[in-house]
Amino acid sequence: MSKIELLKAKRDGLKIKDDINRFAKEGWESISEEDIHRLKWYGLFLRNPTPGFFMLRVRIPNGFSSSHQVRALACIAEIYGNGVIDITTRQQVQLRHLKIENIPQVFDLIEEMGLTTSQTGMDNVRNIMGCPVAGLNPKERVDAYSLVKDLNEHILDNPEFSNLPRKFNITVSGCPDDCVHAETQDLALVPAIEEKGGNTVYGFNVLVGGKLGSGGYRIATPLDVFLCPDEVVEVCSALILLYRDHGNRDVRSKNRLAFLIEGWGEEKFRSALEGRVGRLLTRAGVDLRGNEKSEHIGAYRQKQKLMNYVGLKIPVGRIQSDKLKGLARLSEKYGNEEIRFSHSNSLVIPNVPDKKLGDMLEEALVKEFSYNPSSVLRGLVSCVGSDYCNLAAIETKSMALKVAAQLEGKLPDTAPINMHWSGCPAGCGNHLVADVGLLGKKMRRGNEVIEAVDIYMGGRTGIDPKLSVKVMEDVPCDQLAEVLEFVIPYHTREKMHPIKGKKYSRRRESPLPVKPKKQTEKQTENNVLEEIKI
């Protein structure tokens, strides 16, 4: 058995919470190596670059939160941490530089806000992702948020799901746009339609075995199963337990669901799943996803009358606590106190009435965290980087911002692109599914060791997913902007992987006007309808 399997066999990771008060009294150096690993079941990570300080990951299913929750997290970051908050590519929030002495108080505050850090690390079902504008998108056929919530409640703190062979990533989305990278997930439910009993039923097709780390990008494959909404919790739970009981536990680099799928094949896996649920499952329906990709950044009309949502780009996902509290105030002033986090290092403030929209777009924070960013900044995503992660070879976030700033003036007419940075092959920045993927490394130049990247291009998720292609190796970071300036125009999405008979497009939001003076609500609605892309 591997070291991790041995420590799991000794004690369930969920039981470590009972010891946190003792650790707080005795100090971080008293914590054994095994318990350092077990603390990850509750989102506590002791990082080598910051000895004595922990990163805390907060679970936010589907990225849905409220202004009071966000304000509380910002206050925790200010009082107990260093004021830095990261929005992750799994719609979670990470707080940094926390001491074990303060963790009991921090946990109390988080739980009072209706949040948890449980099962955000190690061999668990991680935060369940979904479309950040679920329930708002006029094109949406099924609102999946309630299903994400139900599935999360079934799994959370349930010992049946606390000892998997490896981490398990899930997304459940009814969005027709490629907004959640479904093909990278161990289990993905994507919107579909099926005829059952003479009736048209909206539900989900099931994809399985996607991943990014542990050997690279494996595109999740269709299981040829359609699920009605009322089947989701039952069948997904059975599928996870099937992986728990039959997944490889010997070599951690081969422990993901992808390797079980490859070993068994989809047909055998589906048959075993049907055996667990005790019935035949409906074969896959028609996939309702289109060719369009959207990060939901911009100002959009909701399906609710006279309402809009505003998606704001948080460059590389890092924000100071005072700024985040300011955005919480905006959600209260202009919306209904909701804030939603996206996988693309962005957040959404929904339910903004037409009559308030113009004023909101004039707010200083909305201009700082733009709803209409440049084509380079819009799709910019970065992992944590070497300043906080000991696995990363380079400091990704500051370098990503620096290169983007250099490119913005040089590629003003370029169509919006995804540029994703990962500091190591674990691929937390999702570099293998981007138009431009950058994998950090160290290299020798003369007598010095410098930061560099390998460049990948053409990665794609969605209805026509594609593996990225490594086009260049060992590009020094101090020369990267100059290289990308000439490479990007010749490696567009359409040129790398054309879709036969279809054009793969990205939604490009146009800036909205400021609020017109003294207009009626109906006049405001008409103006917005003319200028927002519905």
Side-chain angles (χ1 to χ4, degrees):
M1 296 176 70
S2 70
K3 180 172 67 174
I4 300 299
E5 288 299 321
L6 282 170
L7 74 86
K8 290 193 293 183
K10 290 180 184 178
R11 188 184 188 197
D12 189 298
L14 290 177
K15 295 182 182 297
I16 195 65
K17 192 176 183 183
D18 299 335
D19 297 326
I20 289 177
N21 285 334
R22 175 169 60 84
F23 296 152
K25 293 177 182 178
E26 297 176 356
W28 74 275
E29 291 179 307
S30 70
I31 308 173
S32 69
E33 181 183 352
E34 287 191 351
D35 284 342
I36 288 293
H37 283 296
R38 290 191 181 100
L39 285 173
K40 297 174 186 176
W41 264 260
Y42 281 92
L44 280 165
F45 294 78
L46 183 65
R47 295 302 196 190
N48 290 347
T50 55
F53 295 94
F54 287 80
M55 178 271 282
L56 182 63
R57 184 179 294 150
V58 183
R59 190 181 190 97
I60 305 180
N62 211 132
F64 281 36
S65 64
S66 65
S67 61
H68 71 276
Q69 290 174 332
V70 168
R71 186 179 289 107
L73 293 173
C75 289
I76 290 170
E78 279 182 356
I79 297 168
Y80 298 108
N82 62 356
V84 172
I85 297 157
D86 283 337
I87 302 169
T88 77
T89 53
R90 291 207 67 79
Q91 298 178 297
Q92 300 175 111
V93 166
Q94 293 181 168
L95 312 179
R96 305 203 171 277
H97 231 62
L98 303 177
K99 294 181 178 180
I100 193 68
E101 291 87 342
N102 298 321
I103 293 303
Q105 300 98 297
V106 169
F107 275 13
D108 287 344
L109 290 169
I110 286 174
E111 289 171 7
E112 283 178 15
M113 292 298 106
L115 296 171
T116 183
T117 66
S118 181
Q119 291 166 268
T120 55
M122 289 303 288
D123 301 342
N124 289 291
V125 176
R126 301 295 182 86
N127 194 51
I128 302 174
M129 292 175 61
C131 173
V133 296
L136 309 178
N137 191 340
K139 298 190 296 180
E140 178 186 71
R141 294 294 187 176
V142 54
D143 179 356
Y145 171 63
S146 62
L147 303 174
V148 171
K149 184 179 177 182
D150 291 345
L151 183 58
N152 182 72
E153 290 177 352
H154 180 68
I155 289 167
L156 201 62
D157 298 323
N158 185 340
E160 282 195 291
F161 301 95
S162 65
N163 181 4
L164 304 180
R166 197 72 189 279
K167 69 178 180 180
F168 197 89
N169 292 332
I170 301 177
T171 186
V172 184
S173 176
C175 180
D177 302 328
D178 175 27
C179 74
V180 289
H181 293 168
E183 281 71 24
T184 67
Q185 307 295 302
D186 294 281
L187 170 61
L189 272 57
V190 297
I193 188 172
E194 175 66 10
E195 297 293 328
K196 297 188 73 172
N199 297 317
T200 298
V201 177
Y202 291 103
F204 307 90
N205 284 345
V206 179
L207 311 178
V208 291
K211 68 177 183 65
L212 286 173
S214 302
Y217 178 26
R218 182 190 188 273
I219 296 172
T221 49
L223 193 58
D224 194 14
V225 168
F226 174 86
L227 297 181
C228 297
D230 59 6
E231 296 178 294
V232 166
V233 174
E234 176 199 14
V235 176
C236 288
S237 299
L239 191 151
I240 298 165
L241 295 178
L242 188 63
Y243 166 61
R244 179 198 66 184
D245 295 342
H246 296 280
N248 185 315
R249 290 180 180 264
D250 296 330
V251 182
R252 285 186 69 76
S253 62
K254 299 289 184 180
N255 286 8
R256 295 290 295 275
L257 177 64
F259 299 103
L260 180 60
I261 298 296
E262 289 182 350
W264 282 12
E266 287 78 8
E267 185 175 347
K268 178 180 177 180
F269 189 86
R270 182 178 62 247
S271 178
L273 179 61
E274 290 174 332
R276 272 204 181 249
V277 300
R279 66 179 185 278
L280 295 177
L281 297 172
T282 304
R283 290 297 178 257
V286 177
D287 196 323
L288 290 176
R289 293 177 295 169
N291 293 319
E292 192 172 78
K293 181 174 181 63
S294 177
E295 293 86 12
H296 303 298
I297 296 171
Y300 286 103
R301 170 71 71 198
Q302 294 178 194
K303 64 172 66 174
Q304 294 80 12
K305 187 177 181 181
L306 304 179
M307 288 292 183
N308 309 274
Y309 67 83
V310 180
L312 302 175
K313 180 67 180 180
I314 310 298
V316 297
R318 181 158 290 171
I319 186 170
Q320 294 295 317
S321 57
D322 60 329
K323 304 283 188 180
L324 189 58
K325 286 193 290 187
L327 292 174
R329 286 193 294 271
L330 294 186
S331 75
E332 295 165 347
K333 182 178 180 181
Y334 296 103
N336 66 337
E337 303 183 8
E338 278 188 73
I339 291 181
R340 304 182 179 189
F341 296 103
S342 169
H343 80 285
S344 60
N345 292 160
S346 58
L347 59 78
V348 174
I349 297 177
N351 298 305
V352 180
D354 283 350
K355 60 185 178 182
K356 294 184 177 181
L357 183 59
D359 286 345
M360 178 180 173
L361 299 182
E362 288 299 306
E363 290 278 357
L365 277 177
V366 174
K367 292 180 177 180
E368 179 178 352
F369 301 109
S370 176
Y371 69 96
N372 192 38
S374 70
S375 60
V376 175
L377 191 61
R378 172 180 296 274
L380 186 66
V381 172
S382 171
C383 73
V384 170
S386 60
D387 57 347
Y388 290 113
C389 179
N390 56 291
L391 298 178
I394 67 172
E395 205 301 286
T396 52
K397 287 191 181 291
S398 61
M399 186 59 66
L401 290 172
K402 180 179 179 181
V403 171
Q406 292 172 329
L407 286 174
E408 280 181 310
K410 297 178 180 180
L411 299 172
D413 300 322
T414 300
I417 58 170
N418 287 332
M419 188 182 302
H420 290 195
W421 290 69
S422 292
C424 77
C428 295
N430 298 340
H431 67 284
L432 293 174
V433 297
D435 300 318
V436 181
L438 303 165
L439 176 60
K441 65 195 306 183
K442 287 286 200 299
M443 64 170 284
R444 185 170 292 278
R445 182 169 62 186
N447 295 324
E448 62 175 341
V449 176
I450 64 170
E451 294 189 341
V453 297
D454 291 343
I455 301 176
Y456 295 78
M457 304 196 81
R460 191 164 72 207
T461 56
I463 60 170
D464 187 31
K466 298 294 182 182
L467 298 173
S468 62
V469 177
K470 185 192 290 188
V471 297
M472 298 185 77
E473 291 185 334
D474 300 337
V475 179
C477 286
D478 58 12
Q479 298 176 15
L480 181 58
E482 183 179 357
V483 171
L484 291 176
E485 177 188 357
F486 292 99
V487 171
I488 287 174
Y490 296 97
H491 291 82
T492 63
R493 179 183 288 108
E494 289 80 6
K495 291 178 180 177
M496 292 291 290
H497 299 298
I499 300 176
K500 294 181 180 179
K502 296 181 179 179
K503 183 178 180 181
Y504 190 91
S505 64
R506 292 176 60 88
R507 189 178 342 192
R508 173 66 171 169
E509 293 85 358
S510 299
L512 289 172
V514 298
K515 180 181 178 182
K517 292 182 179 180
K518 294 184 179 180
Q519 287 194 335
T520 66
E521 187 170 85
K522 184 64 179 177
Q523 288 172 325
T524 303
E525 178 190 7
N526 291 337
N527 284 348
V528 174
L529 283 170
E530 290 174 4
E531 300 193 59
I532 296 180
K533 291 190 174 182
I534 302 299

